[in-house]
């Protein structure tokens, strides 16, 4: 491994990877992995050195760290993509940032992918190889297209009677372009699946960990509160025996009783313990909901109660459903039918419920800004969740309907496309509905459809096959 400004490829056949990272540890690790796989490696520890080297001699691919002193990864990428000499070199971001907004920002600047730190060697090699293959395909197709177009022009100029041949050549161009379009679509689809898998894994581990950490201390508190209540009742009873046996306790005891407001204490202490018990029961319900929501089911389907998954999702979203300074509480209306247990990837299906309900709440929050609090109380925001068995189609149907502003027809046709969003810049990634569609359709063999009437609301329908 050598500095970028002094190393050249060993042979024309070797592909060159430029690593831009200010961490020596990362440079050593990535260089060893790539060199062992037969790649020539250049390195640069800062943006200016990297840009200078790339301008002189082009690598085949760039691995670019996002967080660096001086020029950060976003600015380096922007400068490379604005230069016609370097704008076709694929850039893969390396980042520890987990916010999808930051990753989408990198894609918008022209990066083709990202690798999440800490690195996994297999993932690094897989992503580097697929993007090198895509670049070769793109360059090959572009060259073929250029040659075909040139041949068409020459034949038209030489002889007008070759119109039939011209049409055949144009058809070949279209076929090549279609192949490239399909390759890019497959790559985009793979990227969305990677984001969804990473998001579900991280969310599931986080929620399950929180539920586990809550469960132990709350069980301890709940168990001891039962004993504490009995002890307090015994002490209060004992105190009343003293009061009966010694009706004139003396000045010191009477003053102390007045100082601590003994009568109020005797009245309020049992209520205080009851409130604490109610609070522990509430926390226990939240813990149960978190465990249900974060089920680890990535390897096999399990038979679950769909209603439990919906209820756990509503429990987690309760803080967003309740009233705030801009609007009254959102009404949740459940119309549950009798459903059998369904074999599914429960954690992923819960993520679909989370995405659809969160989108409805987001729409209400934005829609409510145009109305007064009193007007919203007269026409409250409402989400209706209904379930039923469609015996004829051998499906269960889950409908999530809101009475919000609805979706415009031109947007409705693109709802399930990756990175498409109707929300303002910075408010959404455009991945939620795309991921939800993949989970329902590809993972469960079901259907996810949207019915919207602008001004009257949106209804999403999830259809899952019966076993």
């Amino acid at each position: 491994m050598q500095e970028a400004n002094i190393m050249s490829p060993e042979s024309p056949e070797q592909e060159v990877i430029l690593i831009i990272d200010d961490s020596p540890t990362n440079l050593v690790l990535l260089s060893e992995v790539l060199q062992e796989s037969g790649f020539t490696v250049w390195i640069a520890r800062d943006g200016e050195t990297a840009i200078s080297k790339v301008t002189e001699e082009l690598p085949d691919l760039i691995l670019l760290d996002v967080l660096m002193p001086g020029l950060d990864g976003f600015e380096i990428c922007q400068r490379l993509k604005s230069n016609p000499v370097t704008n076709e070199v694929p850039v893969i971001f390396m980042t520890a940032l987990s916010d999808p907004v930051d990753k989408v920002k990198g894609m918008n600047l022209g990066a083709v992918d990202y690798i999440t730190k800490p690195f996994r060697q297999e993932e690094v090699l897989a992503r580097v190889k697929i993007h090198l293959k895509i670049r070769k395909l793109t360059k090959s197709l572009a060259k073929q297209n250029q040659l075909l177009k040139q041949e068409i022009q020459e034949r038209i100029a030489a002889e007008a009677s070759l119109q039939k041949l011209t049409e055949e050549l144009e058809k070949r161009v279209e076929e090549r372009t279609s192949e490239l379009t399909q390759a890019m679509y497959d790559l985009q689809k793979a990227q969305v699946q990677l984001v969804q898998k990473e998001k579900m894994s991280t969310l599931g581990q986080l929620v399950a960990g929180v539920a586990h950490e809550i469960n132990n201390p709350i069980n301890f508190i709940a168990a001891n509160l039962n004993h504490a209540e009995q002890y307090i009742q015994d002490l209060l009873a004992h105190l009343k025996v003293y009061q009966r046996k010694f009706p004139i306790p003396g000045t010191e005891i009477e003053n102390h009783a007045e100082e601590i407001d003994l009568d109020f204490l005797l009245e309020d202490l049992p209520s205080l313990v009851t409130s604490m018990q109610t609070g522990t029961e509430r926390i226990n319900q939240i813990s149960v909901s978190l465990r249900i929501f974060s089920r680890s089911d990535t390897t096999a389907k399990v038979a679950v109660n769909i209603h439990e998954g919906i209820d756990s999702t509503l429990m987690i979203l309760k803080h967003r459903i309740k009233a705030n300074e801009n609007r009254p509480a959102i009404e949740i209306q459940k119309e549950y039918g009798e459903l059998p247990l369904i074999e599914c990837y429960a954690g992923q299906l819960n993520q679909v419920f989370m995405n659809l309900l969160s989108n409805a709440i987001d729409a209400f929050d934005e829609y409510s800004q145009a109305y007064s609090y009193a007007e919203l109380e007269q026409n409250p925001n409402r989400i209706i969740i209904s379930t039923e068995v469609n015996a004829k189609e051998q499906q269960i149907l889950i409908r999530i309907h809101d009475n919000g502003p609805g979706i415009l027809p031109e947007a409705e046709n693109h709802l399930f496309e990756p990175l498409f969003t109707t929300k303002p810049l910075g408010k959404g990634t455009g991945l939620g509905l795309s991921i939800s569609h993949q989970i329902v359709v590809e993972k469960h063999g079901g259907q996810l459809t949207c019915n919207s009437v602008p001004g009257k609301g949106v209804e999403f329908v999830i259809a899952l096959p019966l076993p």
Side-chain angles (χ1 to χ4, degrees):
M1 181 181 69
Q2 301 184 28
E3 289 291 347
N5 58 351
I6 61 174
M7 184 169 187
S8 298
E10 298 175 359
S11 68
E13 292 75 23
Q14 284 189 308
E15 293 170 305
V16 180
I17 311 298
L18 171 59
I19 307 173
I20 308 173
D21 197 323
D22 63 329
S23 169
T25 301
N26 290 342
L27 290 172
V28 171
L29 174 63
L30 290 171
S31 296
E32 290 177 352
V33 170
L34 294 170
Q35 287 174 343
E36 288 175 1
S37 298
F39 296 106
T40 295
V41 176
W42 299 347
I43 66 170
R45 294 186 173 90
D46 61 83
E48 294 295 347
T49 301
I51 291 172
S52 175
K53 175 59 183 175
V54 172
T55 304
E56 296 173 1
E57 189 171 6
L58 292 179
D60 294 291
L61 184 139
I62 297 174
L63 294 175
L64 174 57
D65 186 27
V66 172
L67 300 178
M68 292 191 299
L71 296 178
D72 65 11
F74 293 134
E75 187 173 353
I76 295 171
C77 183
Q78 186 174 26
R79 288 176 61 173
L80 290 173
K81 294 303 176 182
S82 63
N83 187 338
V85 177
T86 60
N87 64 0
E88 292 186 0
V89 179
V91 175
I92 299 178
F93 274 129
M94 302 181 296
T95 177
L97 299 174
S98 60
D99 191 342
V101 173
D102 291 317
K103 295 172 182 177
V104 172
K105 175 182 177 182
M107 298 297 186
N108 290 337
L109 288 174
V112 297
D113 205 348
Y114 70 89
I115 299 174
T116 303
K117 296 179 181 179
F119 303 116
R120 295 191 295 270
Q121 294 183 8
E122 299 85 357
E123 181 183 6
V124 171
L125 288 174
R127 296 193 183 213
V128 166
K129 290 178 179 179
I130 191 173
H131 287 294
L132 286 172
K133 288 181 180 178
I134 290 173
R135 188 180 186 225
K136 286 181 178 179
L137 175 62
T138 303
K139 291 173 68 176
S140 174
L141 290 175
K143 185 176 180 180
Q144 289 184 41
N145 287 345
Q146 184 62 33
L147 292 174
L148 289 171
K149 289 179 181 179
Q150 182 178 353
E151 183 180 355
I152 290 170
Q153 292 173 354
E154 291 175 352
R155 293 190 177 219
I156 291 175
E159 189 174 351
S161 62
L162 296 179
Q163 183 64 34
K164 183 177 180 180
L165 178 59
T166 300
E167 293 174 356
E168 292 177 356
L169 292 173
E170 287 177 344
K171 183 178 179 180
R172 289 172 59 190
V173 172
E174 292 175 358
E175 290 173 351
R176 297 294 190 274
T177 303
S178 178
E179 290 175 6
L180 177 59
T181 302
Q182 184 62 42
M184 296 303 294
Y185 173 80
D186 291 342
L187 174 61
Q188 190 179 55
K189 184 178 178 181
Q191 289 172 336
V192 171
Q193 290 174 336
L194 286 171
V195 171
Q196 186 267 338
K197 183 177 180 181
E198 179 180 340
K199 182 178 179 181
M200 284 297 298
S201 174
T202 302
L203 180 63
Q205 292 173 6
L206 174 63
V207 174
V210 171
H212 177 73
E213 293 300 323
I214 290 175
N215 195 50
N216 289 335
I218 205 61
N219 286 340
F220 171 79
I221 294 171
N224 282 283
L225 274 177
N226 292 330
H227 296 297
E229 181 181 24
Q230 184 60 50
Y231 297 159
I232 289 170
Q233 293 295 337
D234 292 343
L235 288 173
L236 294 179
H238 191 68
L239 179 58
K240 290 178 181 178
V241 172
Y242 264 100
Q243 289 175 329
R244 288 197 305 270
K245 293 295 183 181
F246 299 96
I248 305 176
T251 303
E252 182 179 357
I253 293 177
E254 289 177 348
N255 288 340
H256 185 262
E258 183 176 352
E259 179 182 342
I260 66 173
D261 197 353
L262 182 60
D263 292 336
F264 175 77
L265 188 150
L266 293 174
E267 178 182 349
D268 190 58
L269 188 55
S271 298
L272 181 65
V273 174
T274 300
S275 297
M276 293 170 67
Q277 289 175 326
T278 302
T280 57
E281 290 173 1
R282 170 68 174 159
I283 297 174
N284 187 58
Q285 291 173 356
I286 294 173
S287 177
V288 170
S289 295
L290 289 173
R291 290 198 301 273
I292 292 174
F293 181 83
S294 63
R295 284 172 170 152
S296 178
D297 54 16
T298 55
T299 58
K301 293 182 177 180
V302 293
V304 299
N305 184 333
I306 292 295
H307 295 155
E308 287 183 354
I310 298 173
D311 291 340
S312 70
T313 306
L314 289 171
M315 175 71 74
I316 294 171
L317 289 171
K318 190 169 184 178
H319 70 287
R320 297 196 60 200
I321 295 171
K322 65 183 182 181
N324 57 40
E325 66 276 10
N326 297 318
R327 58 161 174 78
I330 299 172
E331 295 182 1
I332 303 297
Q333 182 176 331
K334 299 178 186 178
E335 299 176 356
Y336 289 169
E338 293 291 333
L339 298 183
L341 296 180
I342 299 297
E343 290 191 356
C344 63
Y345 298 101
Q348 295 185 27
L349 206 56
N350 290 341
Q351 185 64 41
V352 174
F353 301 148
M354 174 70 75
N355 288 338
L356 297 181
L357 290 169
S358 295
N359 283 346
I361 296 170
D362 289 342
F364 282 138
D365 287 340
E366 183 177 354
Y367 170 72
S368 298
Q369 296 177 11
Y371 298 90
S372 67
Y373 206 93
E375 289 174 324
L376 293 171
E377 286 181 322
Q378 293 296 320
N379 298 284
N381 297 326
R382 182 180 295 109
I383 297 176
I384 302 174
I385 306 171
S386 64
T387 62
E388 64 177 300
V389 173
N390 184 340
K392 181 179 179 180
E393 300 294 335
Q394 285 296 291
Q395 295 175 325
I396 69 162
L397 301 178
I398 306 162
R399 291 185 171 90
I400 299 177
H401 178 270
D402 67 68
N403 63 341
I407 301 173
L408 295 176
E410 54 267 28
E412 189 174 347
N413 296 330
H414 302 281
L415 279 182
F416 302 119
E417 295 178 3
L419 306 181
F420 177 82
T421 179
T422 60
K423 297 176 183 178
L425 183 64
K427 296 294 185 180
T429 63
L431 297 177
L433 288 178
S434 174
I435 290 171
S436 298
H437 190 268
Q438 288 187 11
I439 291 173
V440 173
V441 176
E442 298 181 14
K443 291 287 187 178
H444 294 86
Q447 297 172 323
L448 176 59
T449 56
C450 174
N451 305 311
S452 175
V453 178
K456 293 188 177 181
V458 179
E459 180 184 64
F460 283 94
V461 181
I462 303 169
L464 298 175
L466 286 170

